[in-house]
Amino acid sequence: MSQKVAVLGTGKIGEALLSGMIRAGWAPADLLVTARRPERAEELRARYGVTPVGNAEAAKTADTLILTVKPQDMGALLDELAPHVPAERLVISGAAGIPTSFFEERLAEGTPVVRVMTNTPALVDEAMSVISAGSHATVEHVAHAEEIFGAVGKTLRVPESQQDACTALSGSGPAYFFYLVEAMTDAGILLGLPRDKAHDLIVQSAIGAAVMLRDSGEHPVKLRENVTSPAGTTINAIRELENHGVRAALIAALEAARDRSRELASGKKD
């Protein structure tokens, strides 16, 4: 872990990654950060003991660059970095929808690029990070990306052709669960429960269900059937979900997210 790693554009996800890496054993002295606002950079220095630098200095100094800026800002960042990034420098992109070819075309010939789609549970070390190699990235480069993002959760290697689908499922996935909890909380209030009690009931049920899915090895259909008694409350609720097309709506929503990821890759902003 003596290699220097720079996180460029250190927002919430970048900060979560930094803190996770430090807990996993990286020395703060080996971690560089860049931020648009000087006060943000100083905040990170005070909180974690990392070193704030400019983008050009990060490109020259670090062994690995992790780019966590918004997709619409990535082109400008690469224009700034390109003169300073040597061909052997590992570049890891955390931007949704942008293919590794976008980076390879703008950086020195042969630059290894790894694409990672993580999600906001990185803030609590429960991220799902999906990793794909660019055309010049080796197995060792991918393993290094796994080591970094493994500090904040689970990692999974996929071909880059599957990244847009993964963005739809896990990259945007937490928002779907938050949306569902919001709707169920409103339902609990409608049924006569105070908001705080409805919230606690739903959140703990969600945590328990997730742990069962992760640890039991059972198919979700089997787990659902275990709760679904003949002529009981659950089957009546499931019937209404099916009557209202919830399954079809979820499929359509995920397809829309995948399609937007493809549009981002093609440069479409609106």
Side-chain angles (χ1 to χ4, degrees):
M1 295 184 184
S2 61
Q3 285 197 341
K4 286 195 179 295
V5 175
V7 180
L8 284 72
T10 313
K12 287 185 178 179
I13 293 294
E15 182 177 356
L17 189 57
L18 276 177
S19 62
M21 291 172 69
I22 291 169
R23 288 192 300 277
W26 266 269
D30 292 329
L31 299 176
L32 311 178
V33 296
T34 77
R36 182 172 295 178
R37 295 179 293 107
E39 59 271 26
R40 170 62 172 165
E42 287 305 315
E43 177 185 306
L44 293 167
R45 183 207 296 269
R47 187 173 296 166
Y48 301 106
V50 297
T51 304
V53 295
N55 290 329
E57 184 178 349
K60 295 174 186 176
T61 307
D63 301 289
T64 300
L65 305 176
I66 305 174
L67 313 186
T68 61
V69 301
K70 297 183 188 312
Q72 59 267 32
D73 297 329
M74 192 62 78
L77 176 61
L78 289 175
D79 288 342
E80 182 180 356
L81 294 178
H84 310 289
V85 179
E88 70 274 10
R89 187 75 75 245
L90 172 60
V91 175
I92 299 176
S93 165
I98 302 182
T100 55
S101 59
F102 182 89
F103 299 86
E104 293 166 349
E105 291 166 1
R106 289 161 175 78
L107 298 173
E109 177 65 28
T111 300
V113 180
V114 174
R115 178 176 172 183
V116 181
M117 182 71 252
T118 192
N119 57 17
T120 56
L123 297 167
V124 293
D125 292 346
E126 292 290 351
M128 181 69 252
S129 300
V130 184
I131 299 176
S132 302
S135 58
H136 306 299
T138 66
V139 172
E140 289 75 19
H141 291 131
V142 173
H144 187 48
E146 287 178 324
E147 182 184 20
I148 291 171
F149 281 84
V152 292
K154 186 175 180 179
T155 64
L156 178 69
R157 297 187 192 187
V158 300
E160 189 170 10
S161 61
Q162 295 177 0
Q163 275 280 355
D164 292 323
C166 292
T167 297
L169 263 71
S170 63
S172 299
Y176 314 146
F177 289 101
F178 299 146
Y179 181 87
L180 179 61
V181 168
E182 179 188 358
M184 290 178 69
T185 301
D186 287 344
I189 294 168
L190 180 65
L191 296 173
L193 292 169
R195 178 176 293 276
D196 60 342
K197 288 186 170 57
H199 176 82
D200 289 347
L201 289 167
I202 295 160
V203 170
Q204 184 55 40
S205 296
I207 292 170
V211 171
M212 289 179 71
L213 281 167
R214 185 190 65 192
D215 296 347
S216 70
E218 296 280 4
H219 193 282
V221 170
K222 176 64 175 175
L223 294 174
R224 179 179 60 77
E225 287 176 345
N226 290 342
V227 190
T228 309
S229 304
T233 59
T234 305
I235 192 60
N236 275 273
I238 295 294
R239 180 188 62 185
E240 289 303 312
L241 292 173
E242 295 292 351
N243 286 343
H244 286 81
V246 171
R247 187 187 303 264
L250 282 171
I251 292 171
L254 290 167
E255 288 178 332
R258 178 208 58 195
D259 293 346
R260 181 55 180 157
S261 182
R262 290 175 175 172
E263 289 174 354
L264 289 170
S266 68
K268 184 175 180 180
K269 294 183 171 61
D270 298 324

